[in-house]
């Protein structure tokens, strides 16, 4: 992203480094609020555009530039979330949040990030696919209040300034969101245990071992695929372990001979990717509970695989 490096009088801008140091925080915030790295990058670009549209005097009058940038980015995200429902209704098939690799596996192929470390999202439990999917079920105000307060530790007074409601109302929004999180998520096993179960799933899939797959899946397991209408993907969720096991075995018989299935970290959790000729074409995120696979999200839409590919 190009930025203004001098003040209006041609002198170096002493505040530039301080302003740009907020970029990573803003990317992290916007990704959690929107579930899309591409949209998060657009939000941050627009936030900085608004900052540099002000005169130097206006900028200097702002006591805390970081707080100002967060407020602007939060309000832009709130507006985008408000219009997201209509956009999702036009989306072909199921919509799944954009998956992210480990920072060490991040491929510098996106023209809009140029591999800038500031664009990389910090991976923790607040960006697991299961967590992001629950956030999708919230109202825009709930999501913004909860993420700002519970994840980024902003006070309810600060949240109120962004959401446009009273601190008490924001406290209630965050509490409602917290309840949704508790009700929807079972305790996750350790990372090593999750990795072992995903590895067992991979091996059973490659072996087309129907019984092993059924044993690894929760009876009420669900697979949700996102092709965005760009590539082939199941348009509706696949439910039940028997149906899922037969589906993936059939998929293995048709596709796995010509592709490579690899273990990878997806949004900070053990996952799998399918590569074809060295290019990632599908990313699988898993939710594991009680030592069984409860949910699988398969992201195939190439528009959501930017950090995973060189294209």
């Amino acid at each position: 992203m190009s930025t203004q490096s001098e003040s209006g009088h041609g002198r170096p801008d002493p505040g530039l480094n301080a302003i740009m140091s907020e970029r990573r925080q803003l990317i992290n915030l916007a990704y959690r609020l929107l579930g899309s790295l591409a949209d998060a990058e657009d939000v941050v670009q627009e936030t900085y555009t608004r900052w540099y549209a002000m005169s130097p005097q206006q900028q200097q009058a702002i006591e805390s530039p970081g707080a100002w940038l967060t407020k602007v980015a939060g309000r832009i995200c709130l507006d985008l979330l408000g219009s997201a429902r209509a956009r999702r209704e036009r989306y072909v098939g199921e919509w799944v949040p954009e998956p992210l690799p480990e920072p060490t596996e991040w491929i510098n192929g996106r023209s809009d990030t140029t591999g800038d470390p500031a664009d990389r999202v910090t991976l923790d439990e607040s960006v697991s696919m299961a967590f992001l999917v629950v956030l999708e079920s919230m109202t825009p105000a709930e999501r913004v209040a909860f993420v700002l307060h519970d994840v980024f530790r902003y006070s309810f007074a600060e949240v109120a300034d962004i959401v446009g409601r009273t601190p008490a109302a924001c406290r209630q929004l965050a509490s409602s969101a917290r309840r949704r999180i508790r009700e929807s998520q079972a305790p996750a096993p350790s990372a090593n245990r999750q990795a072992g179960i995903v590895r067992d799933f991979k091996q059973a899939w490659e072996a087309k071992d129907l019984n092993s797959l059924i044993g690894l899946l929760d009876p009420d397991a669900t697979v949700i695929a996102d092709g965005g209408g760009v590539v082939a993907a199941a348009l509706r969720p696949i439910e039940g372990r028997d149906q899922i096991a037969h589906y993936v075995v059939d998929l293995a018989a048709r596709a796995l001979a010509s592709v490579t299935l690899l273990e990878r970290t997806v949004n900070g959790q053990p996952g799998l990717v399918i590569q074809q000729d060295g290019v990632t074409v599908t990313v699988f995120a898993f939710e594991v509970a009680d030592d069984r696979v409860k949910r699988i999200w398969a992201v195939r839409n190439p528009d959501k695989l930017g950090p995973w590919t060189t294209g």
Side-chain angles (χ1 to χ4, degrees):
M1 183 187 76
S2 61
T3 57
Q4 187 173 313
S5 59
E6 296 185 343
S7 70
H9 301 288
R11 297 190 303 272
D13 179 357
L16 177 64
N17 288 339
I19 290 299
M20 294 311 296
S21 69
E22 298 290 332
R23 180 171 171 78
R24 181 169 188 146
Q25 171 90 342
L26 296 175
I27 286 281
N28 273 275
L29 172 64
Y31 173 75
R32 285 164 174 78
L33 289 178
L34 302 175
S36 164
L37 183 63
D39 287 348
E41 290 165 347
D42 289 343
V43 165
V44 175
Q45 178 81 29
E46 173 62 21
T47 300
Y48 279 107
T49 296
R50 295 186 187 185
W51 172 264
Y52 284 108
M54 294 189 295
S55 68
Q57 291 76 19
Q58 289 173 313
Q59 293 173 359
Q60 290 162 13
I62 293 172
E63 185 176 341
S64 172
W68 185 93
L69 292 166
T70 298
K71 180 194 294 188
V72 171
R75 287 179 173 173
I76 296 171
C77 287
L78 190 61
D79 289 343
L80 285 174
L81 287 169
S83 62
R85 189 175 299 277
R87 296 201 311 274
R88 302 283 161 76
E89 287 173 357
R90 298 192 298 270
Y91 196 81
V92 177
E94 299 289 327
W95 189 95
V96 174
E98 185 175 340
L100 296 181
E102 274 285 282
T104 55
E105 297 168 2
W106 196 290
I107 296 173
N108 302 336
R110 295 174 68 116
S111 59
D112 53 349
T113 67
T114 60
D116 184 351
D119 292 318
R120 297 177 187 170
V121 175
T122 303
L123 301 180
D124 58 28
E125 64 278 1
S126 70
V127 291
S128 73
M129 191 62 74
F131 190 89
L132 291 177
V133 168
V134 179
L135 292 181
E136 283 294 313
S137 70
M138 299 178 185
T139 68
E142 276 180 334
R143 186 167 183 168
V144 173
F146 173 76
V147 170
L148 281 169
H149 180 266
D150 282 45
V151 179
F152 288 89
R153 303 302 177 189
Y154 286 91
S155 70
F156 283 118
E158 293 169 308
V159 175
D161 197 28
I162 294 170
V163 178
R165 304 196 187 188
T166 65
C170 290
R171 185 184 297 275
Q172 288 184 324
L173 288 168
S175 176
S176 172
R178 216 173 289 127
R179 188 165 55 250
R180 289 185 191 238
I181 294 284
R182 282 198 307 269
E183 291 172 353
S184 66
Q185 291 191 298
S190 69
N192 285 342
R193 183 63 187 143
Q194 287 186 69
I197 292 168
V198 171
R199 183 175 301 118
D200 290 345
F201 186 90
K202 171 183 178 287
Q203 292 170 349
W205 190 2
E206 290 174 322
K208 307 181 189 66
D209 186 340
L210 189 66
N211 289 332
S212 291
L213 286 167
I214 291 172
L216 288 164
L217 289 159
D218 184 88
D220 299 318
T222 304
V223 170
I224 296 176
D226 180 344
V230 182
V231 296
L235 295 177
R236 289 178 295 278
I238 302 166
E239 299 176 335
R241 63 182 175 190
D242 288 357
Q243 189 171 351
I244 292 169
H246 281 91
Y247 174 79
V248 299
V249 165
D250 180 59
L251 194 62
R254 290 184 286 112
L256 286 189
S258 60
V259 300
T260 305
L261 190 59
L262 300 169
E263 294 176 49
R264 288 288 185 270
T265 297
V266 181
N267 285 56
Q269 304 286 325
L272 299 173
V273 304
I274 288 179
Q275 289 188 348
Q276 190 160 25
D277 298 324
V279 176
T280 297
V281 294
T282 310
V283 173
F284 297 94
F286 292 78
E287 182 180 16
V288 176
D290 297 323
D291 285 346
R292 287 183 175 172
V293 175
K294 187 175 181 181
R295 290 188 185 87
I296 303 172
W297 295 275
V299 181
R300 303 204 68 232
N301 185 345
D303 292 340
K304 294 185 176 182
L305 300 179
W308 301 84
T309 67
T310 56

